[in-house]
């Protein structure tokens, strides 16, 4: 497939992106709009969503904006009302929060907050938007490598595994509507969320990334665009990991690198 074939692949399509005011969501919204989609740029931070919608508009592409709190059924219903009768072709459930604490250090309040933002959001998003996909469509749920392996963060790990499982439920349930559902599992991506914690965490994690670097948001957005497009027409109910090789055995990358530096 040549670049030119994908350039306007979303012409005439309406797509919803959650958490689009920052990080990966912002880049996904911009990329999809640049390829012809009318993108609903949504975020709980309404000003951030408006700023991204403005950026898209200034670039000559098409964006709508809505303040959407993904944890609120009412907020999702308001979005559906705002979309009106337009058939929706794509949904990216991207909004999420980080929380790097184990079971013993996680309060029930934090557990419930992370569950609401990272997992109930995906349930509500699919429940609200799948019925609007009257001509078929594709849903991409953003999980994480934390949904591929054992992870040290209780709420984050549990929700990202939950997103992976719920995506498969959606893939089975919505197939008869012509709607595909898949999950994307980024590793370390250069966004405000990644950089909200300690540098030591990122630096130490990078030692286990065979690619030797973090991903750009654009590299994840390309995978999202592929999954939303007809190019992936027979891909449903599966995971795409975008992690520079981390979960393929990054521990051995770290060990062999350490041994090589000890020898030199
Ligand atoms: N950055 C990484 O390294 C990384 C790795 C794996 C997975 N992820 C996942 O990718 C997704 C995007 O992460 P990011 O790094 O771009 O984060 P980010 O913090 O840059 O952006 C997240 C956005 O979600 C919004 N948001 C938070 N709570 C919300 C709510 N209740 N309703 C609506 N929007 C809400 C925020 O306002 C923000 O704009 C998340 O699901 C995250 O778990 C990130």
């Amino acid at each position: 497939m040549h670049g030119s074939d994908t350039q306007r692949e979303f012409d005439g399509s309406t797509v919803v992106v959650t958490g689009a005011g920052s990080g990966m969501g912002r880049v996904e919204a911009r990329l999809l709009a640049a390829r012809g989609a009318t993108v609903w740029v949504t975020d709980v931070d309404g000003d951030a969503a408006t700023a991204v919608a403005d950026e898209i508009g200034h670039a000559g592409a098409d964006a709508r904006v809505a303040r959407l709190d993904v944890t609120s059924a009412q907020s999702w219903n308001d979005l559906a009302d705002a979309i009106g009768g337009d058939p929706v072709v794509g949904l990216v459930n991207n909004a999420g929060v980080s929380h790097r604490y184990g079971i013993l250090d996680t309060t029930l309040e934090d557990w419930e907050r992370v569950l609401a933002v990272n997992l109930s959001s995906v349930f509500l998003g699919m429940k609200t938007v799948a019925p609007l996909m009257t001509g078929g469509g594709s849903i991409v749920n953003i999980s994480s490598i934390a949904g591929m392996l054992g992870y040290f963060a209780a709420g984050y790990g549990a929700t990202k595994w939950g997103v992976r499982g719920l995506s498969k439920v959606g893939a089975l349930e919505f197939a008869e509507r012509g709607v595909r559902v898949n999950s994307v599992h980024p590793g370390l991506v250069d966004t405000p969320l990644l950089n909200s914690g300690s540098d030591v965490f990122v630096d130490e994690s990078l030692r286990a990334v065979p690619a030797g670097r973090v991903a750009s948001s654009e590299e994840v957005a390309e995978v999202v665009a592929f999954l939303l497009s007809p190019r992936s027409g027979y891909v449903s109910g599966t995971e795409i990991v975008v992690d520079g090789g981390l979960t393929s055995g990054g521990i051995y990358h770290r060990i062999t690198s350490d041994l090589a530096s000890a020898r030199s």
Side-chain angles (χ1 to χ4, degrees):
M1 172 78 55
H2 300 292
S4 56
D5 297 325
T6 64
Q7 248 163 34
R8 301 297 303 179
E9 66 183 347
F10 297 109
D11 264 349
S13 307
T14 296
V15 173
V16 176
V17 182
T18 71
S22 170
M24 274 183 258
R26 170 174 168 263
V27 173
E28 288 154 9
R30 288 166 53 119
L31 183 121
L32 297 168
R35 295 200 181 153
T38 296
V39 178
W40 279 87
V41 178
T42 73
D43 204 288
V44 69
D45 181 342
D47 292 342
T50 301
V52 173
D54 287 349
E55 280 176 41
I56 291 172
H58 290 142
D62 198 8
R64 309 273 187 278
V65 67
R67 183 183 175 279
L68 171 71
D69 176 355
V70 291
T71 68
S72 157
Q74 184 58 54
S75 197
W76 277 105
N77 289 339
D78 292 346
L79 175 69
D81 289 346
I83 292 172
D86 286 352
V88 176
V89 167
L91 167 64
V92 186
N93 281 311
N94 161 80
V97 285
S98 178
H99 191 253
R100 293 180 187 145
Y101 294 96
I103 295 168
L104 297 183
D105 291 326
T106 298
T107 63
L108 179 59
E109 191 186 21
D110 269 338
W111 168 261
E112 287 175 343
R113 180 179 63 89
V114 176
L115 247 73
V117 181
N118 289 6
L119 182 56
S120 300
S121 57
V122 174
F123 162 70
L124 289 171
M126 293 202 288
K127 189 176 172 65
T128 309
V129 177
L132 309 181
M133 295 180 154
T134 46
S138 172
I139 298 174
V140 177
N141 296 324
I142 306 297
S143 176
S144 164
I145 52 165
M148 296 303 297
L149 38 66
Y151 201 63
F152 62 91
Y156 197 78
T159 55
K160 294 305 187 180
W161 275 86
V163 168
R164 181 180 175 189
L166 195 56
S167 300
K168 293 184 191 298
V169 175
L172 301 181
E173 185 172 337
F174 302 143
E176 63 179 17
R177 298 169 177 264
V179 174
R180 298 179 293 110
V181 185
N182 294 286
S183 53
V184 168
H185 300 254
L188 300 162
V189 188
D190 189 13
T191 71
L193 179 141
L194 182 72
N195 300 317
S196 63
S198 90
D199 290 346
V200 178
F201 174 81
V202 176
D203 292 346
E204 282 300 310
S205 303
L206 265 180
R207 294 178 57 221
V209 178
R213 62 172 179 85
V214 298
S216 68
S217 293
E218 284 74 10
E219 287 171 308
V220 178
E222 282 291 351
V223 175
V224 169
F226 166 71
L227 287 173
L228 289 181
S229 78
R231 288 181 286 143
S232 58
Y234 203 58
V235 180
S236 195
T238 195
E239 303 86 357
I240 296 194
V241 179
V242 189
D243 72 349
L246 175 56
T247 55
S248 70
I251 185 173
Y252 296 106
H253 169 73
R254 189 172 52 106
I255 291 168
T256 50
S257 305
D258 285 352
L259 290 174
S261 6
R263 274 198 302 272
S264 62

